[in-house]
Structures are given as C-alpha cells and as structure tokens.
Amino acid sequence: MPIDFLIIGQGLAGSLLAYELMQRGCRVLVVDNGLENASRIAAGLINPVTGMRLVKTPYIEQLLPVATAFFQHLAKEFGQVFYHEKKLLRIFKNPGENETFAKRRLNPEYSPFFDETDNPFQSDGLLHPPHGFAVQKQTGYLSTRPLLENLKQFFINHDAYVQTVLSYQDIELSPRLQWRGIQCRRIIFCEGHWVAQNPWFSWLPLQPAGGEILTLNFEKILPDYIINNGHWLIPTTPNQARLGATYQAMPQSNPNGQAALLSSLAAMLSIRHTTVQSHDYGIRPCTLDKQPFIGHHPAYNALLIFNGFGSKGSLLIPWYCRCLADHLLHRRALPSHCDINRYAAHCSG
C-alpha cells in the first residue's frame, strides 16, 4: 500500500513532524541511519528572550504555547516528562546589558518573560553578578535524547521506521515517486546539516555551526536555575548539569572548546570541585537569514524540506510542524518567512 509521507531523518524535526502527521491519520515511514545526531546532543534550551540585546524570539506568542502543549501531550503519550520548566538567571557581562534590561523591563511586551519578584542571591554565595542580573521565566529545557528514543520506539511499533543509510539514487521521481519500491505521495527531507549533500536542496544557503556541550558532576548542590552569562548551565539533577555551548562557524570541533566552557563556568559559579562526565559535539543546521527551510522543491513538487531550525529547534519545531501539516493536508499557505520560495531563484534544477 502506498504511504503518504516518507520522512528522511529522525532528529527532532523529522520525529515531531512524523508524529504530528500520524496523529492526523497519515501513513508515514521514517528513514534514519541510526547514528548520533545534533538533536540527541542538544541541550533543548527554550528561552523566549535571548542575545546581548535581550530580544524576544519572533512569533514567540505563537511558538511557546504550541511547543509546551506538544511536549505535554507527548508526556501523556509516553508516561514521561520531557519538557522541564525552569527559571533562567541571566547574569550580565557588562553594564550595557544591564542598561538594556532596564529598558526592556519597561516594555509591556516583555513583562511576561521577566520575574522581578525572585531573588536567587539570598543564600549560598555561589553566584557572581558583578554587573547585575535578570530572572527570566517561561524558560526551560527539553530532554531530547529520551524523547527521540521514545518516538523511535513509537514508530517501530507502528511499522513506521526503517533504519538504513539513505542513498539518493534509490529515490525514483517517475513514473511514480518511490523509494526502494515503496510508493509515496511526498518525500520530506529532515536531514539537519546533511542537507548540504542533498542533490535537490543543496542550493539552499545553509550555514552549519558546530557546538560543544559538557556534562559535569558537582560536589555541591547547584542553584535551581538555568544560568546564562553568554554560555549556559542547565542543572539536570541537584549535582549534575550540562554546560554549553561553543559556536564554530566552520563545522569542526574546537580543541580549546572545553577550556573555554570551563572558564565560563568559573565566571558563573564559585565551585572548584567539578568533573567532566562527557564532552559532546554536534553541528547545528543554521541558515543564512536565521529562518527555517520549509516547503516544496521549485521543480519537483513532491519533494519537500523541513530543516534549518538552528539552535532553537525545541521551541520552533512544534509550531512549524503544525504549519507544514496544515499546508499538506488543508492547502494552507506556509508562512512566507520560512517558505523556501524565497530562495527559488538560486535553484539550478
């Protein structure tokens, strides 16, 4: 029997899209090579207000409720919590950041994301705020690895998963769209940075960015906040946290990455007895204009891409899953800012 959608890649984008389409009654098959990917390594940080200028993520009022509802639904589906809401302590690196915050706090559009009643500096003296701080709310992190493992088993249980290394030569476009003899209405590529090798979508201006994350064990109990001073520290247990992330424009590991992260930690916390449990490296699928790549190939309408979510995938992907599913099943237009038609002139065929 023909399937509706063949989805290439079981990272966060491919997994959540496949699940969304299956919940809407579609016949889906996920093809994945089973290797480690950036989604499994990612810290899954969700933070509505980011950067030195403390700027709201565009469309945050739509993105955040959809993401939290999606992850709550998955928690009920699998009997396991994946999204952990936790306040974020933003430690300012210079007086200018404090001045920016002073302006933001007067803007009513930003008030839902700052908690001015919370003071984390009343007890242990572990934290360093030489230039001030802000407490952000509606923040947290997604446990991506267990979520992806649960979704993989879900797909297997529904005969919707194949583990294999994809060869593009196995995809036939005519007379019927098929892969290894399996007919499908659409093929959706969710390959992360590997899209640069895709013969149909390599023309898109991907800007892959490498990043490193440390998992650390601490002798002391950590403050119950995500802490950010340019790098972030996410406590996952009272004595363990993830620290990240470095950023390399070229997708290759930085030999000084671990030292840079540990130096950043020393600027956050007065904790000396720390051990590194693991050191992970992944490649983010960032894009030239900082917007996702979603939509149909200009010449082959049955081939689509769902990619380019960069370092904010946990926040962005659920809402864009809904957008793409609505487009595919109800012919609703994709948001113009993410539709790859914006780059159609660059497509060579």
Side-chain angles (χ1 to χ4, degrees):
M1 177 184 295
I3 62 170
D4 296 309
F5 302 104
L6 184 71
I7 293 181
I8 311 301
Q10 201 244 319
L12 195 62
S15 296
L16 297 187
L17 179 62
Y19 184 84
E20 174 79 17
L21 291 169
M22 291 174 72
Q23 293 299 294
R24 298 190 188 208
C26 299
R27 298 182 301 275
V28 173
L29 181 64
V30 178
V31 177
D32 187 73
N33 58 20
L35 301 177
E36 193 80 313
N37 58 53
S39 293
R40 289 178 173 271
I41 295 168
L45 181 63
I46 289 183
N47 181 10
V49 180
T50 60
M52 292 184 295
R53 296 177 56 245
L54 293 170
V55 177
K56 282 196 311 177
T57 299
Y59 316 105
I60 189 62
E61 289 80 9
Q62 292 80 36
L63 294 167
L64 189 57
V66 172
T68 54
F70 202 131
F71 300 137
Q72 288 169 1
H73 173 85
L74 289 169
K76 293 179 181 178
E77 174 78 54
F78 299 117
Q80 182 177 346
V81 174
F82 302 106
Y83 179 61
H84 309 272
E85 190 165 353
K86 191 180 292 287
K87 291 180 182 179
L88 184 148
L89 175 62
R90 173 66 181 264
I91 298 177
F92 301 134
K93 298 173 67 176
N94 55 61
E97 291 186 2
N98 201 338
E99 293 172 7
T100 298
F101 171 63
K103 296 176 183 178
R104 291 282 184 249
R105 69 195 300 184
L106 299 177
N107 186 336
E109 294 184 2
Y110 281 78
S111 60
F113 306 111
F114 293 119
D115 187 345
E116 297 189 46
T117 66
D118 199 354
N119 185 352
F121 297 101
Q122 295 176 338
S123 56
D124 49 34
L126 292 175
L127 297 161
H128 302 299
H131 302 292
F133 67 94
V135 177
Q136 296 178 228
K137 57 185 179 179
Q138 299 198 60
T139 53
Y141 68 95
L142 182 69
S143 296
T144 56
R145 186 178 294 274
L147 175 57
L148 292 176
E149 290 172 352
N150 276 271
L151 284 166
K152 178 179 177 179
Q153 190 58 52
F154 175 86
F155 300 142
I156 292 171
N157 293 345
H158 288 79
D159 296 320
Y161 180 87
V162 173
Q163 182 170 314
T164 188
V165 176
L166 178 80
S167 171
Y168 297 113
Q169 286 73 23
D170 290 337
I171 296 174
E172 300 178 36
L173 303 181
S174 63
R176 299 181 182 86
L177 183 65
Q178 59 182 342
W179 171 75
R180 293 187 179 179
I182 299 172
Q183 295 181 27
C184 46
R185 290 174 49 216
R186 300 281 191 273
I187 298 178
I188 308 174
F189 294 96
C190 309
E191 305 166 284
H193 73 96
W194 294 109
V195 71
Q197 311 299 322
N198 187 301
W200 297 287
F201 292 102
S202 59
W203 49 273
L204 288 167
L206 190 74
Q207 291 192 328
E212 293 163 284
I213 295 176
L214 304 180
T215 300
L216 304 174
N217 294 323
F218 296 83
E219 290 187 2
K220 290 188 176 182
I221 294 178
L222 296 167
D224 193 26
Y225 295 84
I226 299 169
I227 306 173
N228 187 319
N229 70 343
H231 292 112
W232 43 254
L233 183 77
I234 302 177
T236 53
T237 73
N239 297 96
Q240 188 176 91
R242 305 193 75 195
L243 174 66
T246 59
Y247 194 100
Q248 291 90 247
M250 296 299 293
Q252 57 189 9
S253 182
N254 178 359
N256 300 316
Q258 178 169 315
L261 289 173
L262 292 176
S263 176
S264 178
L265 175 67
M268 291 187 204
L269 297 175
S270 299
I271 293 182
R272 296 183 179 180
H273 301 292
T274 306
T275 57
V276 177
Q277 177 175 306
S278 64
H279 181 171
D280 296 307
Y281 174 78
I283 301 176
R284 311 171 185 90
C286 301
T287 67
L288 179 65
D289 62 3
K290 315 303 180 188
Q291 301 297 334
F293 293 152
I294 304 176
H296 301 262
H297 188 280
Y300 304 104
N301 189 65
L303 302 182
L304 293 96
I305 188 170
F306 187 69
N307 204 334
F309 297 99
S311 60
K312 295 186 176 182
S314 298
L315 173 61
L316 302 180
I317 291 169
W319 186 73
Y320 285 104
C321 281
R322 178 183 291 183
C323 291
L324 183 54
D326 286 343
H327 170 73
L328 292 168
L329 303 179
H330 305 296
R331 299 185 179 181
R332 295 178 185 169
L334 291 169
S336 59
H337 66 269
C338 70
D339 193 327
I340 61 169
N341 274 332
R342 68 193 191 274
Y343 290 117
H346 299 275
C347 179
S348 58

